[in-house]
């Protein structure tokens, strides 16, 4: 499952899952709460020590620090990037429970506003979240 086999090419912008130097987005998978490296409307990257034996689907729960709300759904692994300091597992959302996709959009919009280096409106932040990847 290397980048060449199952390349994860998100169409939407990825956002670093940190605010003020601290992780603010987390995911629970198989009972473990893990810090996210990045998050988008399409998926997320999470630290991983080893490449999975095969792609797999799994239930997830997203958490945002300071917010009791959770977003639940299903995701699938799509790639693994090895690095000297540890790897990253790329995962793509396959479904959300209830209005999870809308709430994720709201969470990311607030995140963009909170981390922007210039003043930005809610409409501008929402457009960035829903717009194409800038990288």
């Amino acid at each position: 499952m290397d980048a060449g086999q199952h390349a994860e090419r998100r169409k939407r912008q990825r956002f670093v899952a940190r605010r003020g130097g601290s992780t603010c987005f987390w995911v629970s998978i198989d009972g473990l709460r893990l810090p996210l490296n990045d998050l988008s409307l399409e998926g997320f990257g999470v630290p991983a020590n080893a490449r999975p034996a095969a792609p797999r689907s799994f239930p997830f729960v997203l958490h945002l620090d300071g917010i009791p709300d959770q977003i639940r759904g299903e995701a699938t692994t799509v790639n693994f990037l090895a690095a000297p300091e540890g790897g990253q597992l790329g995962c793509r959302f396959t479904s959300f429970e209830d209005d999870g996709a809308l709430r994720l959009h709201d969470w990311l919009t607030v995140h963009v506003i909170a981390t922007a280096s210039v003043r930005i409106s809610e409409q501008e932040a929402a457009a960035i979240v829903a717009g194409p990847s800038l990288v």
Side-chain angles (χ1 to χ4, degrees), residues 33-81:
R33 183 176 156 124
L34 304 168
L36 292 184
N37 292 338
D38 64 72
L39 180 63
S40 76
L41 293 177
E42 297 175 330
F44 58 88
V46 64
N49 293 327
R51 177 184 315 276
R56 75 174 186 110
S57 293
F58 56 90
F60 69 84
V61 181
L62 291 177
H63 311 271
L64 174 58
D65 277 353
I67 304 293
D69 192 24
Q70 299 176 343
I71 297 172
R72 296 176 178 273
E74 291 279 327
T76 188
T77 57
V78 292
N79 70 12
F80 178 80
L81 301 172

Side-chain angles (χ1 to χ4, degrees), residues 84-118:
E85 65 280 355
Q88 175 171 295
L89 184 62
C91 302
R92 180 173 293 133
F93 298 124
T94 54
S95 67
F96 291 97
E97 288 184 9
D98 304 319
D99 64 347
L102 292 173
R103 286 185 288 126
L104 177 58
H105 187 276
D106 290 346
W107 285 13
L108 288 173
T109 298
V110 170
H111 183 64
V112 168
I113 292 168
T115 59
S117 58
V118 296

